[in-house]
Amino acid sequence: MNNYTNEELKVNLTSNEYDLYQLLLTYQQDKFLQQIKDIKQLKQVLSTLNDFNNRYPGGIDAYITTAKKLLLDSKQGSNPYAKYNISIPSIARNINLSKEFDFYENILLEQLKNKNTPQLAFVLVAGGLGERLGYNGIKIGIPYEILTNKTYLEYYIDYINAFEQLHADTMTKKCPLIIMVSDDTIELTKDLLIANNYFQRQDNIHLIRQDGVPALSDNNASFILDENTGEVIMKPHGHGDVHLLLYQSKLAAQLASDHIQYLCIFQDTNGLAFGALPAALGVNYQDHLLMNSITVPRNVDDAVGAICCLTHQETHKKLVINVEYNQLSSLTGGKEECVKDSQGNDTIKSIYPGNINLLIFEIDGYLKALTRSNGLIPEFINPKYSDNERTIFNKPTRLETMMQEFPKCLNHEESNRVGFAEFPRWSSFSAVKNNINDALLKQKKGNKPESPATGEFDFYNYQRKLLKNSGVI
């Protein structure tokens, strides 16, 4: 925009557009602004950024300020966990599908008998397409199994219907289902719902749309334009936006007002997500948890995030939180502790369970923490560098959030009400995220294939084991 004087900009821009332009100059976005060719393009760019400025907590100045700090930390190789010690969370329940499962499920049933039914809401994080799987459509539209060709979404809704029918005598409200979508999936999700008449739940299904955040081209947090369209490149902010959207849409407040007690957040293609739910809700009741992570066993050095208790060396505040597998060694000193067998010998199982992003929140405590943070989860950044000095990016980066990092929003007292419940993997987790070729490579390396075919197999295996445990077969 070097061809335009300041006076010409004042004439051609609205006062709001001009103020936003000056804000960009204040944050040294000169490199970005120089890519803009004319007033028409500038107004289009400012319109996009004005929308972002209005919806992002703290606006553009907060986004750039946070980005610059995190980019500097990344360049310097700072360890975010340098001042933390790691241990097993004190509220830890290891539950198999017999004695322990029955115990915690009975706690839930007692609550139902006392007409203290946990009014539940479900939140489905479904912003992804099935391209990586070789599927042309949204992931929740993938058939879960080929006997009936029911989609993932229909199976989830069938479970919610069954839960309501089972507890019809004490349930005072239907369970809301909130679906987080993206620009890529919103229309296809609407089409799937309309084609199925909203599965007879139109009044109980709500869509919340996730928008992008500006991509960053360098350590100065410079925005960047698409070379083909001339528009601001926007990238996904991560699934941690589910908390932001529940807050900004006022749905979280509405759930609390409607006396919903618990919120279950799950991801799009884990067909076994609800297998552990009855017992997990019993754990929430028994331990008065504000946040409960449903987990599965994890082997030492598995490329899976781990639920740990991190204690700050100075403040002594505890965080029961997921630590990504590539950061775990910085806390364990490269020597992750394993579970011992009955003879005291090492096994391959880690003492830290695997995170599967299946979370249960007590709604009142959840809303209080959301209100303090304006719905924003602490962000991170993960630039990929092409030089040893860490000054050049391979591709644009952006700030991101993860939904499992919600504990960072909690105060000391609330942090003491965070725990996990570990269930056998076959009963609660079967991700579907790889096409057949990638799945085969993973299997050859000894990893879980996590393909549509193995997801279907795990579904049949789950039903078979339930029948066996019930004495039917």
Side-chain angles (χ1 to χ4, degrees):
M1 294 302 299
N2 294 333
N3 296 331
Y4 293 88
T5 66
N6 195 50
E7 289 304 316
E8 287 175 319
L9 290 174
K10 283 186 177 180
V11 171
N12 287 281
L13 300 178
T14 66
S15 60
N16 185 58
E17 290 170 339
Y18 181 79
D19 289 343
L20 183 55
Y21 180 84
Q22 293 300 317
L23 178 65
L24 294 173
L25 290 176
T26 300
Y27 281 97
Q28 301 173 320
Q29 291 291 323
D30 309 69
K31 176 182 172 182
F32 165 68
L33 293 171
Q34 286 171 7
Q35 301 173 57
I36 301 172
K37 297 177 181 178
D38 52 39
I39 290 292
K40 180 180 178 181
Q41 185 185 12
L42 176 61
K43 291 175 80 71
Q44 180 184 4
V45 165
L46 292 175
S47 175
T48 299
L49 292 178
N50 184 62
D51 175 67
F52 171 72
N53 192 48
N54 289 333
R55 61 179 165 79
Y56 181 84
I60 285 175
D61 52 351
Y63 184 76
I64 294 178
T65 300
T66 301
K68 285 185 175 182
K69 178 184 182 303
L70 293 178
L71 284 166
L72 179 61
D73 289 345
S74 178
K75 181 181 179 181
Q76 295 175 342
S78 300
N79 176 10
Y81 299 121
K83 293 186 177 182
Y84 286 91
N85 295 326
I86 188 171
S87 61
I88 305 173
S90 59
I91 304 178
R93 305 298 174 193
N94 296 298
I95 300 170
N96 60 41
L97 267 278
S98 55
K99 183 178 178 181
E100 291 89 356
F101 190 99
D102 291 344
F103 173 78
Y104 286 107
E105 185 175 23
N106 285 334
I107 291 175
L108 174 64
L109 293 174
E110 284 301 315
Q111 297 296 329
L112 301 180
K113 289 178 184 177
N114 296 331
K115 297 189 181 295
N116 189 19
T117 305
Q119 305 300 328
L120 274 174
F122 295 87
V123 181
L124 171 57
V125 177
L129 295 170
E131 293 171 337
R132 184 175 170 184
L133 299 167
Y135 179 76
N136 184 26
I138 53 175
K139 291 171 74 175
I140 57 173
I142 296 173
Y144 186 24
E145 40 80 10
I146 59 176
L147 289 177
T148 66
N149 274 328
K150 281 187 177 182
T151 64
Y152 275 89
L153 179 60
E154 189 170 0
Y155 259 102
Y156 297 145
I157 290 176
D158 280 351
Y159 181 92
I160 296 171
N161 288 336
F163 185 87
E164 291 172 344
Q165 291 167 11
L166 182 63
H167 308 304
D169 292 341
T170 55
M171 295 277 289
T172 59
K173 295 180 184 295
K174 283 187 174 292
C175 301
L177 172 62
I178 301 165
I179 306 175
M180 185 177 89
V181 296
S182 64
D183 285 340
D184 291 332
T185 64
I186 184 167
E187 295 304 325
L188 292 172
T189 303
K190 286 180 179 178
D191 290 344
L192 179 60
L193 290 169
I194 292 170
N196 291 276
N197 194 27
Y198 278 76
F199 302 96
Q200 288 71 54
R201 296 186 66 90
Q202 187 163 2
D203 294 338
N204 300 98
I205 294 179
H206 311 273
L207 301 184
I208 49 177
R209 188 180 73 181
Q210 179 187 33
D211 294 304
V213 296
L216 308 170
S217 64
D218 56 33
N219 283 328
N220 194 48
S222 299
F223 299 163
I224 187 170
L225 295 179
D226 187 296
E227 292 181 358
N228 297 317
T229 66
E231 297 177 353
V232 183
I233 296 179
M234 306 291 281
K235 286 180 169 284
H237 194 219
H239 48 54
D241 268 1
V242 66
H243 304 298
L244 177 64
L245 295 173
L246 286 170
Y247 175 74
Q248 290 184 334
S249 66
K250 302 190 187 311
L251 279 170
Q254 185 62 52
L255 295 177
S257 177
D258 289 342
H259 305 293
I260 298 292
Q261 291 177 269
Y262 291 105
L263 186 70
C264 177
I265 302 181
F266 62 106
Q267 290 190 285
D268 44 19
T269 50
N270 175 16
L272 303 181
F274 299 139
L277 188 60
L281 282 168
V283 171
N284 276 73
Y285 268 110
Q286 175 80 357
D287 295 322
H288 307 288
L289 294 181
L290 189 159
M291 177 180 172
N292 183 11
S293 294
I294 297 177
T295 66
V296 296
R298 177 183 165 278
N299 290 339
V300 172
D301 298 327
D302 267 359
V304 177
I307 302 297
C308 312
C309 178
L310 304 181
T311 304
H312 197 277
Q313 296 166 0
E314 297 172 358
T315 67
H316 305 295
K317 180 183 177 181
K318 296 182 182 296
L319 275 177
V320 176
I321 196 167
N322 173 73
V323 176
E324 291 302 305
Y325 67 91
N326 57 351
Q327 296 177 314
L328 197 58
S329 61
S330 68
L331 287 159
T332 63
K335 297 179 180 179
E336 189 175 340
E337 189 174 347
C338 59
V339 174
K340 306 286 186 181
D341 63 19
S342 57
Q343 280 76 44
N345 299 315
D346 290 347
T347 68
I348 62 171
K349 181 182 176 183
S350 171
I351 62 172
Y352 305 112
N355 171 56
I356 60 174
N357 278 347
L358 183 51
L359 312 173
I360 303 175
F361 293 93
E362 182 266 311
I363 192 67
D364 289 336
Y366 176 74
L367 181 59
K368 287 179 183 177
L370 276 185
T371 302
R372 284 199 306 269
S373 71
N374 289 320
L376 187 63
I377 305 302
E379 295 157 309
F380 68 97
I381 201 162
N382 188 27
K384 305 299 183 185
Y385 302 100
S386 60
D387 65 328
N388 294 331
E389 291 74 26
R390 296 192 169 199
T391 58
I392 303 173
F393 299 167
N394 278 335
K395 59 181 179 180
T397 188
R398 82 282 195 185
L399 293 184
E400 298 180 70
T401 61
M402 294 189 291
M403 66 183 187
Q404 64 268 32
E405 295 210 330
F406 186 84
K408 291 182 178 179
C409 298
L410 303 178
N411 61 33
H412 181 75
E413 181 181 351
E414 293 164 342
S415 295
N416 292 327
R417 296 176 58 207
V418 179
F420 74 85
E422 180 183 302
F423 292 82
R425 185 183 177 112
W426 67 262
S427 72
S428 55
F429 184 56
S430 177
V432 171
K433 57 186 181 182
N434 299 309
N435 62 45
I436 190 68
N437 294 323
D438 291 341
L440 181 60
L441 291 174
K442 282 183 169 289
Q443 189 173 46
K444 286 180 177 179
K445 293 179 180 179
N447 299 317
K448 299 291 183 182
E450 297 184 329
S451 71
T454 57
E456 183 174 5
F457 171 83
D458 290 342
F459 168 70
Y460 299 140
N461 182 58
Y462 170 73
Q463 307 297 336
R464 214 165 45 241
K465 288 202 173 191
L466 287 185
L467 291 173
K468 184 176 181 180
N469 287 342
S470 301
V472 176
I473 58 174

